Amino acid sequence: AQEITVGAANVSSYLDPGRDHSNVGSQFYYNVFDTLIDKNHDTLGADWQPALATEWKLVDPKTMELKLREGVTFQNGEAMTADDVVFSLNRMYQATFPPYVVRSRDRLSNFVKAEKIDDLTVRISVEKEEPLWETLLNLQQVMIIPEDYTKGLTGDPKVAEDDDFEAFSLAPVGTGPYRVAEFIPGERVVYERFDGFWGEKAPLAKATVQQIPETASRVTALKTGEADIITNIAPDQLAMIESDSNLRTVGSATPLFHVMIMNVNHPKLRDPRIRQAMSLAIDRDTLNEALWLGKAVVPDSHTYKEFGDLYMPELKTFEYNPEKAKELLKEAGYDGSEITFDTHPTYYTNGMLAAQAITEMWKEVGINGRVNIAEKWSGGSPDLMARNWSNPMYFADPFGSFGVMWAPNGPSEGEGRFNTDEDYAKIWERFRFSKNVEARKAAYAELMERIKQDPPVLPLYRPFESWAMRKDVVWAPKPGHIPYVLDFRAGSISFASN
Amino acid sequence: MTHSATVPAPSLPAAAYRLWRGADPIQKAAILIGLTLVSLAILAPLIAPFDPNSQSLIARLRPPLGFERAKAGFLLGTDELGRDVFSRSLYGLRLTLMLAGLGATLGLMIGGTLGLLAGIAGGRTEASIMAAVDTQIAVPFTLVALFLLAILGSSIEVIVLVLGLAGWEQYARIVRGEVKRLMNMPFIEAARAAGAGPLRIARHHLLPNIVSPLVVQFTLSLSNIVLLESTLSFLGLGVQPPTATLGSMVGIGRDYMPTAPWIVIAPAMMILLITFAVQILGDWLRDGADVRLRAR
Amino acid sequence: MTRSPLLSVENLSLNFGSFNAVRDLSFDIARGETLALVGESGSGKSATALALLRLIEREGGRIAGGRVVLHGTPALELSALSDRQMQAVRGNRVSMVFQEPMTALNPVMPLGEQVAEVLRLHQGLDAGTARLAARDALERVKIPEPERRLDQFPHELSGGLRQRVMIAMALACRPDLLIADEPTTALDVTTQAEILTLIRQLQDEIGMAVLFITHDMGVVAGIADRVVVLRRGDKVEEGPVADVFARPRAPYTQALMAATPKLGSGAPKPLHRTEPPVLSVDNLAVRFPVRRGLRPGAHLDYHAVAGVSLSIAPGETLGLVGESGCGKSTLARAVLRLVDPAGGRVALNGREITRLGASELRGIRKQAQMVFQDPFASLNPRLPVRDLITEPAQIQSRMSRAERQALAEELLHKVGLEPEAARRFPHQFSGGQRQRLCIARALSVRPALIVADEAVSALDVSVARQITDLMAKLQQDERVAFLFISHDIAVVERVSHRVAVMWSGQIVETGPTEAVLHNPQHPYTRRLLAAVPVPDPARRADRVPPRSALTAPGLLLPVGEAPARATMIEVAKGHFVAAVDPASSLLNGAPPQAPAGAAAQEREPADRRRLHPV
Amino acid sequence: MLSYALRTLTRMALTFFVIVTIVFFATRLSGNAVDFVVGEGITSEDRELLIAYYELDKPLFSQYLAFLRAFTDGQFGLSFIERRPVSQIVLERIWPSAQLLLSAVALTLLVSIPLGIAAAIWRKSWVGSAVMMVAFLGYAVPNFVLAIVMVLVFSYWLNWLPVVGNGTPLHFIMPTIAMAGVLIAALTRFTRNAMLDVLGQDFMRTARAKGLPEGRVIVKHGLRNAGITILSVIGLQVAGLAAAGSVVIEAIFAWPGIGDLLVNSALRRDYPVLQFGVLTVALAVIVINAAVDLAYAWADPRLRHTVQA
Ligand SMILES: Nc1ncnc2c1ncn2[C@@H]1O[C@H](COP(=O)(O)OP(=O)(O)OP(=O)(O)O)[C@@H](O)[C@H]1O
Ligand SMILES: Nc1ncnc2c1ncn2[C@@H]1O[C@H](COP(=O)(O)OP(=O)(O)OP(=O)(O)O)[C@@H](O)[C@H]1O
Ligand SMILES: [Mg+2]
Ligand SMILES: [Mg+2]
């Protein structure tokens, strides 16, 4: 029986795939929960796999019917039924619990309801014809949880109260290959193999994810054997680990952008030329070379390889052109007033360094920048000028990354630092719901052009995230996953037999 | 002790010279270190070969001169953004000394005044001041710092305020204790018999007598503040980058300790030297002041 | 010397660093003998004592030459023993009683343990036996309730009792030699007398030798067999006590004898009091709240001054005497409104000051000045003399620096100090000089009244003499009135026109100096006078050993109650004595009307100190 | 006794109340929980929803009253972020913190009292200077530098000691040392000074005159007196340490302690945790202080009786 310990920079404060969409949380769910439709994570493209649903088909353009897998049990011993599935889906589709409401609004708003047809059949209906059926059924947010267990956690066992969901986030139960044996928020998650798993048995008897916030301690823990895998290794630390013959590192340019967002409504930044200049002044390649040892990926547009057909490297939305930046500034009559760049002190790898480097680059073109460190999220503040943020690929579609944040009435607009108009909304509609990939691509290109002309955001790079482990641990982040997933399912981790 | 009739009220340089003569080698070393550090801080703009904030991203993390990969001109190497560690250390020293000096002074003024008030006034006033002291002791200081920085925003002024608040309760306790002790001394009664009012008593009779414990506390809080500032930097609450302080250089540079220790070594050594010098100087000053009391 | 020597000191030289504190000192002490070591302050007495026990090294000194031999079997050359070997001698064969009973005991260790420690160490007793032995040791020095004392701490005892514990500790192992370094200087006369008597009795009992260090010639006359006189580290005279007193040979000894005040050498004549008094005090009372126990409502009042009336005319000196803690200083402070009186009134130059506000009071301050009990403590150590002595004047009217300097020089000249002293700080003066600084300060505002609280008690006789002479001169020149507080009755006699005797917060006898001191009426006065040591070995025999048996009225009373007031009866012109109030226990002796010869019938030696709150 | 206890209790309660109030308002003034709790990128509509859900829409004063009421019914609410009772969260963290604190204090006492005594006795020789230099070092090195250097040396290179967590006694070694550093420096100095004061006292001479061996003189008579002074200092230091927590140390050693919890909940504006956490720590400090005061009063017979004339 193999056991491992993972030293993680962060451990979640709660475990509920429905309400969570943080980079920290996404590490944990895949081992414990299943979605109806799974994905082959070894490839970038959308290779859908049956999971809790064995087959699915559209019964009409707005309704999908899914056949459920037989003999699936939850980790608490209950059998999974159509009721559980309907409950799990509707907790998001018809959310009443506010944290779910928020999550469903930005990505699941097209979904109307799920209903049970028979014990092994459910139907899901949408409002508009949905081009992304599988993608949106593969979301972490619609992972399946047990109904009776959840409802029975607090209060009336027949009713799903808010408190039930609160309680669930501390004692999560799913159908996945591992059960959460111990969970101390912010400190430790212990997985144990769930023998009743419907699929291939988990390779590990036990896996502990222990929070070790300090980099030096994390690296040391790996070296002393207190941890077998550690997460979040900054590029600058890689050489040190690699110099040790007992250790190795793996890494990938994560499907996530570190971005700079700009407040289009700030009085000083209202002129798009100023924001364009802020963007053009940033030499992202140099940032990559210096801070990421060239291992990060600098995009020309808001696009990822993972998008498959919708990957559009040909778009040149963002570029480095200091001369043009200077010109634009002059045209816009920039008065040299201070432009602040907010950053959290530690949250993003190299975030502070990049912030300082960016203001230094601004200086080159005459922008008077200042780094402003704040723990708090300033994205909703009218005083925001610019700040760093990350824009993960929540699912492999432009909608799952750009779309989640820059939709009309979406969070960015909601926070008042981005404006859309009717025209934008129309393009958006086409991008979101066109059945035809080419139409969607065209619409997305239009959106990108809008962004280029009046930029609220600049994707800096796909950061290169690294994990380090003992030589004999065979594990690597799989290309098909959303960022940061610690996948310990069968086939994802093994041990070299040396 | 002989009652030498010839000891004059000392003039400042003369007193300094006498103190220097009375110092032992360690104390002399501390004095020299202190003076050197202060001069380096004052002359930083003249000495520093580079703008402390100018980056050279392509020359990040280069070791000090003499090591492989060192970059010419960068005496102590470069930091994680390719800035000159030597120049940053000098400017950091300058700012750190300023912060520590101002912070300790502020603490002294707040705590000293309140302590004096408590000791002289007694009763309700004393009780409420001491309650404030108790409160300050009971609330984790990092939180106080955090709140203040969050409420007032992070700027050098606020950080000075925060650092000043970090020690006021110590001053208040000490001053109050001393004042209460002194208030029972016959010479205070003598002053009252001479018709002195409370202000005069505080200024002429109490203050000169609490100087010496205050000096010690001042030196203690100077080093405390240097350390505290570095802790704040560790937590990301200190002086905002890119501005360098010794504390922030160490706090942020800690991640590079295994791979690029030179980023941390210079500022850490400076912190060490500052506190070292300050502590020894504190003892030395106190001993110097004590001579008068001890010599009967 | 017929008796065999117990301890020989041969050519002893002591150094502190390069300072040669004692030179070539030789003397012997025989078994059972009391040798007094006298000399001015700083002459090396304590250093010698410490050297005998080899404790001087700890104090930063060293034996630079000579030897100290403790005879016996075997004879020990103390000056050559190792510290470890000395440990067997200290506290066992030679023990020591130190000058300050207040600080010589460990404040956080129960007394029993401190005494038992010696016994366990040198006699190898176990804890239980040692405790019993410690109890016996306390009993031997006549400590009342010895059982209870074992578990008490030093601060719970009066100075006299503490000194007894010290003695008990020193005597616990029945040493061959007791070194007593000024064992009574900190105590008041009555207590001093008790301790001296005790040492003498114990010496008779155990037969030990005593090396007695003091600067009080009265004490020497009372206790010593032989005297060694030291001056600046040199022995200037040695001889049997009677010879030294009768025929002092060394000039220094002669000067010492001359300066020693003797009771009965005459007092200033009482003044004709025609002018209105400078100070008149009427029924003045001061109480201090005392919290006893932790319950609320358990407050008591300590009546430190319980109804005192007196008055002083311009140019007159009123001497105030009384044992330690009887309320003299409190009275003085109340007169100057440094404590607020609880009742009665004080008038200064006819103006009542009892109810003045703080600012009005400041205006009055220049008329009355005080010289505080402890001159060093009452001078701010951080201020230069110029600022110190001109402070009262400065407060009354702002002066420029130059004016202050001029005034300071004038004042210093008045008290006989160099003008240069204005720049110095208090610690750079000797005790006597400091006392004069205090007087200079009092004079800076031309006061009509000076309250001098124990202005000379801490000084050696010659310095004390200088100060009283200065005061007399001031009185002549400026008609200053003095309230002169002292427990040295001989000095009081020399300076006072009238005397008031205070006891337990009240004045029990007052009148012309001559009358009170030579025709004492009140039992307490008599007891006080009997305790004054007489610097004449010839009169040692006819001194009645003082007994303490007066029961003082309780001064610690529940809030609201007040001690009974004695009424004063005039026994002769201007001579008043507190009468016995049959209903009160104020006096437990003979009534004042009784013939002066009838000695107070005081019996059981109760613990005087129990009269006072702990 | 009763009234003394009552008075102490009232005073404690008052301080406590002040702290409660300050903490409550300071947390609210220093930033809106919404900005932290509900996450980033939220439409205004969602924001309103969550504000209502977390009951942050009530007027400040009624929130305050509700918070005060919590003291009577013992319901301090759920963490905004961890969604479990704050009492559980805080209590879970207190024990590890207390353990670390205790071991740091124990180490401090073990090291600095002998060192302080040595420095006092041999103050004129090189021993005294050497000791004081070591003590100064304790002041001079930021504790996280010390901690990281230890981690690198003893764990990374030598692989002698574990770094993560508080599982075994071995785990205590480095955090304890890192935490005790400043304390040792402070206490060594205090001990030295207190001892120097005592060494010059008359009763020490008396003890020697009794014939006691020097060691006994110093320990039995000297230390007993100096100990009282030291006690008063150590109480403050411990209280300070308990209050300041040791965020940094806890972060480096992944020690599940209260300091880390407090700072993190402050950073995330998790009011319920923060409030309850601060109050618990404050209470602990107040109690430690009171206990030390009592111990002090008990240890010093001069204070045992409050009766004085
Ligand atoms: N520890 C010391 N270091 C230096 N000099 C000292 C020390 N102790 C005493 N002396 C000096 O040695 C001399 C003798 O001092 P000693 O204490 O023996 O005087 P004394 O005769 O006992 O005086 P007193 O009557 O005032 O007690 C004095 O001049 C004193 O200043
Ligand atoms: N502030 C005070 N609070 C309580 N009791 C006091 C206070 N001041 C003095 N006493 C008490 O009042 C009594 C008289 O004290 P006072 O100082 O007047 O005595 P004294 O006659 O001057 O004695 P000594 O000769 O020792 O100077 C003493 O028992 C003292 O303990
Ligand atoms: Mg002496
Ligand atoms: Mg007095």
Side-chain angles (χ1 to χ4, degrees), chain A residues 13-14 19 21 96-99 101-103 105-106 162-163 166-167 169-170 183-187 210-214 216-217 219-221 223-226 240-241 243-244 247 344 347-348 375-377 380 387 389-390 409-412 414-415 417, chain D residues 30-32 35-36 38-47 49-50 53-54 78-85 88 92-93 148 151-152 154-157 159-166 171 248 250-257 260 264 267-269:
Chain A
S13 306
Y14 58 84
R19 71 197 292 184
H21 78 159
T96 53
F97 179 51
V101 175
V102 175
R103 271 302 71 83
R105 222 167 347 218
D106 60 18
D162 290 353
D163 282 352
E166 296 287 13
S169 67
L170 292 171
F183 172 45
I184 304 177
E187 210 178 305
Q210 166 72 43
Q211 172 161 327
I212 310 177
E214 194 62 19
S217 311
V219 174
T220 305
K223 181 119 192 231
T224 59
E226 289 170 83
M240 174 172 133
I241 296 171
S243 69
D244 188 321
L247 308 178
H344 185 281
Y347 193 74
Y348 302 114
E375 302 278 342
K376 80 170 184 187
W377 170 242
R387 71 163 293 137
W389 200 14
S390 76
N409 298 320
S412 292
E415 289 191 326
R417 55 188 151 77
Chain D
S30 68
N32 194 332
D35 292 336
F36 298 87
V38 305
E40 307 161 2
I42 284 262
T43 65
S44 44
E45 197 183 344
D46 290 345
R47 194 182 158 91
L49 187 70
L50 290 172
Y53 179 66
Y54 289 110
L78 296 185
S79 154
F80 284 163
I81 294 178
E82 291 187 12
R83 309 315 299 156
R84 46 188 190 136
Q88 187 191 344
E92 198 172 87
R93 295 290 192 119
I148 293 179
V151 165
L152 290 178
F154 295 108
S155 300
Y156 190 82
W157 284 313
N159 203 351
W160 287 351
L161 295 172
V163 243
V164 180
N166 57 343
H171 282 99
V248 170
E250 287 170 9
I252 290 175
F253 296 100
W255 195 276
D260 185 56
N264 275 323
L267 291 178
R268 301 187 298 194
R269 300 302 184 283

Side-chain angles (χ1 to χ4, degrees), chain C residues 291-299, chain D residues 1-4 7:
Chain C
R291 183 178 294 134
R292 165 158 287 178
L294 301 165
R295 276 171 304 115
H299 292 270
Chain D
M1 197 61 216
L2 207 70
S3 107
Y4 178 75
R7 249 183 309 133

Side-chain angles (χ1 to χ4, degrees), chain C residues 56-123:
Chain C
I56 192 164
E57 286 95 340
R58 287 262 153 222
E59 309 285 312
R62 101 196 128 76
I63 299 182
R67 26 184 245 139
V68 179
V69 179
L70 183 65
H71 300 284
T73 40
L76 295 173
E77 186 179 340
L78 298 186
S79 44
L81 294 187
S82 72
D83 201 54
R84 169 151 297 203
Q85 290 166 312
M86 271 315 286
Q87 282 162 15
V89 175
R90 293 180 193 142
N92 191 17
R93 294 196 57 200
V94 181
S95 55
M96 185 150 175
V97 175
F98 291 99
Q99 188 160 354
E100 274 285 341
M102 303 298 161
T103 52
L105 290 170
N106 189 335
V108 301
M109 204 187 255
L111 295 169
E113 204 179 321
Q114 299 193 44
V115 178
E117 194 174 38
V118 204
L119 292 158
R120 295 176 64 178
L121 191 71
H122 296 298
Q123 305 193 337

Side-chain angles (χ1 to χ4, degrees), chain C residues 125-284:
Chain C
L125 303 186
D126 63 61
T129 345
R131 190 180 157 91
L132 287 180
R135 203 204 77 99
D136 292 346
L138 294 186
E139 194 156 37
R140 193 160 49 210
V141 296
K142 306 206 170 55
I143 290 178
E145 304 180 74
E147 188 71 51
R148 190 162 72 89
R149 307 292 176 191
L150 292 176
D151 296 316
Q152 284 187 315
F153 289 91
H155 72 277
E156 298 174 71
L157 269 60
S158 67
L161 277 183
R162 277 187 234 181
Q163 194 61 292
R164 284 177 199 234
V165 174
M166 276 297 297
I167 294 173
M169 216 153 77
L171 299 186
C173 294
R174 302 188 169 244
D176 298 330
L177 173 65
L178 174 72
I179 303 172
D181 187 1
E182 317 235 22
T184 58
T185 359
L187 307 174
D188 66 289
V189 274
T190 37
T191 317
Q192 164 173 315
E194 289 165 19
I195 296 283
L196 292 180
T197 314
L198 180 71
I199 290 180
R200 220 168 23 223
Q201 285 172 357
L202 291 170
Q203 191 180 8
D204 292 346
E205 250 175 64
I206 307 179
M208 65 186 175
V210 176
L211 176 65
F212 200 101
I213 299 174
T214 180
H215 65 244
D216 186 330
M217 297 312 285
V219 172
V220 174
I223 194 163
D225 297 322
R226 281 190 313 127
V227 182
V228 169
V229 185
L230 278 188
R231 179 163 191 258
R232 301 206 183 138
D234 295 314
K235 182 168 80 174
V236 294
E237 177 144 9
E238 176 174 2
V241 67
D243 290 0
V244 172
F245 273 77
R247 289 173 298 281
R249 275 168 296 152
Y252 172 69
T253 320
Q254 288 164 2
L256 201 61
M257 292 300 163
T260 303
K262 296 188 181 63
L263 195 59
S265 30
K269 286 271 149 320
L271 300 179
H272 272 292
R273 305 210 292 166
T274 48
E275 296 156 79
V278 177
L279 173 73
S280 80
V281 174
D282 188 22
N283 209 7
L284 189 69

